[in-house]
Amino acid sequence: MEYNKDYFYFSRPDGKFYTVRLHDVEINIYTFQVISVIHDGWGNIDKLPITNGALFEKHERQLSSFYTNKDYLLINTMVLFAISGPYFENKIQKQFYRELEVLFTKYPEQYIKYVNDDFIEMINYQFNIL
């Protein structure tokens, strides 16, 4: 990872997506600074978002959750949600699947690694029940 370069990160506790920058590295601990929220996510999570300028640490083994492409982060996170069956209210679930479809259309090479009969069947099922 490089200093002064934007990375994208999904925060599970608050369900939001952030632009972050590498602030410091000490041994195997990487400290990031939050630059901005790039997507509010789809859940109604009560936890407050991370504020701009805030610092947080990640161990080296956790760096796979940081992306240089915002859309790839969204696709990968959304696919994980889709596989586990997103339990959002109906209106938000429709928005979720619309956004997922737009991203898959824009970046088919990201989609292709997830395509199998089970995944397609699950997506079709979700669309049919909405």
Side-chain angles (χ1 to χ4, degrees), residues 18-62:
Y18 295 93
T19 302
V20 298
R21 286 198 189 120
L22 184 59
H23 182 71
D24 188 37
V25 180
E26 193 170 311
I27 307 176
N28 291 330
I29 302 298
Y30 289 67
T31 303
F32 294 90
Q33 180 177 19
V34 174
I35 304 303
S36 64
V37 175
I38 55 169
H39 193 293
D40 285 333
W42 306 275
N44 293 326
I45 299 173
D46 293 336
K47 184 167 171 114
L48 291 174
I50 306 171
T51 57
N52 288 359
L55 300 177
F56 65 95
E57 295 179 344
K58 289 291 176 185
H59 193 276
E60 186 176 46
R61 68 179 175 275
Q62 299 168 309

Side-chain angles (χ1 to χ4, degrees), residues 19-108:
T19 302
V20 298
R21 286 198 189 120
L22 184 59
H23 182 71
D24 188 37
V25 180
E26 193 170 311
I27 307 176
N28 291 330
I29 302 298
Y30 289 67
T31 303
F32 294 90
Q33 180 177 19
V34 174
I35 304 303
S36 64
V37 175
I38 55 169
H39 193 293
D40 285 333
W42 306 275
N44 293 326
I45 299 173
D46 293 336
K47 184 167 171 114
L48 291 174
I50 306 171
T51 57
N52 288 359
L55 300 177
F56 65 95
E57 295 179 344
K58 289 291 176 185
H59 193 276
E60 186 176 46
R61 68 179 175 275
Q62 299 168 309
L63 297 183
S64 63
S65 60
F66 292 84
Y67 287 73
T68 55
N69 183 310
K70 169 187 71 164
D71 291 339
Y72 285 8
L73 167 60
L74 286 166
I75 288 170
N76 286 310
T77 306
M78 292 173 87
V79 165
L80 292 175
F81 283 155
I83 288 170
S84 63
Y87 301 105
F88 310 128
E89 61 185 65
N90 226 8
K91 178 182 166 188
I92 291 178
Q93 196 152 328
K94 287 178 183 176
Q95 172 194 342
F96 172 86
Y97 280 109
R98 273 191 225 105
E99 288 181 33
L100 184 59
E101 183 180 19
V102 167
L103 286 171
F104 279 163
T105 302
K106 186 175 178 182
Y107 298 102

